[in-house]
Amino acid sequence: NGHAFVNYWMHNGFVRVDEQKMSKSLGNFFTVREILKKYDAEVVRFFILRTHYRSPLSYSEQHIDDARHGLTRLYTALKGVDAAKAKINWQEPYAARFKEAMDEDFNTPEAVAVLFDLANEVNKTRSPQQAGLLTALAGVLGLLHQDPVHFLQGRSSQYEATVFFEGVTADFSGDAEVVPAGFTKSIEQLIRERAAARKANNFAESDRIRDELLKAGIVLEDTPHGTVWRRA
């Protein structure tokens, strides 16, 4: 194509499934395309980045779910904070630690640890500058590019929904990362019904709605600005 293929060639560790190397001969072979039918691409990227590229990558749905929960922690720190956009100052302590990790043989696990430390700081201070730094550093790894609320609610714009709302007890949480639009409207309607029940001091009905949503993989959070929801 008229351009150099690569400047650097890095040999990565094998992907392992149940402590065995993934291979067609063992019948434990799958493709990224198959994984993306169930998980958001950013979750898969985060799962890979948490392991050093030269180390074996142990794949399991539990490990992918752990990665989703970890990424959820980072997005939760950004929720409700108007992150400032600024060029990274690599002399700033968090940025310097991040750069040092990446300069040490592309040590992404250590770089990710810096992101978690910074996210903890954002949770405490709610600082737009620190939130902006978290977004910028994560962006180096191709992370945290989605709207926090959309990610937390499973409303990724990258994929079509593969499940459809058939009642509040429908469980989408284990088989798809994307919440269908119809499900979103139903959740919001139930939140309004719960608010009306609470206003009428009908706490039994309020609790019932909350518990039914929780069974469907939806967590309600009551805030001073109203009730918001996210995936469990």
Side-chain angles (χ1 to χ4, degrees):
N1 60 9
H3 298 278
F5 180 43
V6 292
N7 292 324
Y8 303 96
W9 189 274
M10 299 158 65
H11 289 273
N12 61 282
F14 289 121
V15 178
R16 300 179 65 83
V17 180
D18 295 329
E19 301 307 318
Q20 291 182 310
K21 185 179 75 171
M22 185 199 301
S23 67
K24 289 184 178 180
S25 61
L26 293 175
N28 61 357
F29 180 83
F30 50 85
T31 66
V32 171
R33 185 177 293 105
E34 291 169 337
I35 297 174
L36 292 180
K37 292 179 180 178
K38 298 182 66 174
Y39 295 97
D40 187 294
E42 189 176 359
V43 171
V44 178
R45 176 187 289 267
F46 188 65
F47 160 70
I48 294 171
L49 289 171
R50 294 198 311 173
T51 299
H52 192 275
Y53 76 91
R54 285 192 287 105
S55 300
L57 181 65
S58 180
Y59 174 84
S60 71
E61 291 197 352
Q62 180 181 348
H63 290 157
I64 291 280
D65 287 334
D66 287 344
R68 180 168 70 84
H69 290 307
L71 195 57
T72 294
R73 284 177 55 194
L74 297 180
Y75 270 112
T76 299
L78 294 174
K79 186 180 70 172
V81 182
D82 188 12
K85 293 183 179 181
K87 185 177 180 179
I88 299 174
N89 174 12
W90 293 107
Q91 303 304 313
E92 194 278 337
Y94 286 107
R97 285 177 54 202
F98 182 94
K99 184 178 184 300
E100 181 180 5
M102 294 297 288
D103 284 348
E104 184 59 38
D105 195 19
F106 203 57
N107 191 345
T108 56
E110 183 61 31
V112 167
V114 175
L115 297 183
F116 278 115
D117 288 345
L118 181 53
N120 289 337
E121 194 66 24
V122 173
N123 279 325
K124 296 176 185 177
T125 65
R126 313 307 291 161
S127 164
Q129 287 71 33
Q130 289 182 321
L133 178 61
L134 174 59
T135 302
L137 292 177
V140 174
L141 300 176
L143 301 172
L144 302 186
H145 55 81
Q146 300 185 55
D147 177 272
V149 173
H150 284 187
F151 176 86
L152 294 171
Q153 293 183 351
R155 292 190 286 152
S156 172
S157 60
Q158 299 178 14
Y159 307 100
E160 296 180 359
T162 57
V163 292
F164 301 91
F165 182 72
E166 296 178 353
V168 69
T169 56
D171 179 11
F172 65 87
S173 56
D175 295 324
E177 288 289 293
V178 184
V179 178
F183 201 174
T184 299
K185 292 180 181 178
S186 297
I187 294 170
E188 292 170 351
Q189 174 60 33
L190 286 168
I191 288 175
R192 288 191 290 270
E193 292 177 8
R194 178 173 176 267
R198 296 180 70 188
K199 188 175 182 180
N201 293 326
N202 187 351
F203 298 111
E205 176 65 8
S206 170
D207 291 345
R208 184 194 69 78
I209 293 173
R210 180 198 61 204
D211 293 343
E212 285 296 313
L213 283 170
L214 186 58
K215 289 178 184 178
I218 299 298
V219 175
L220 299 184
E221 297 177 349
D222 295 316
T223 75
H225 306 290
T227 300
V228 297
W229 64 272
R230 62 174 176 83
R231 296 172 301 173

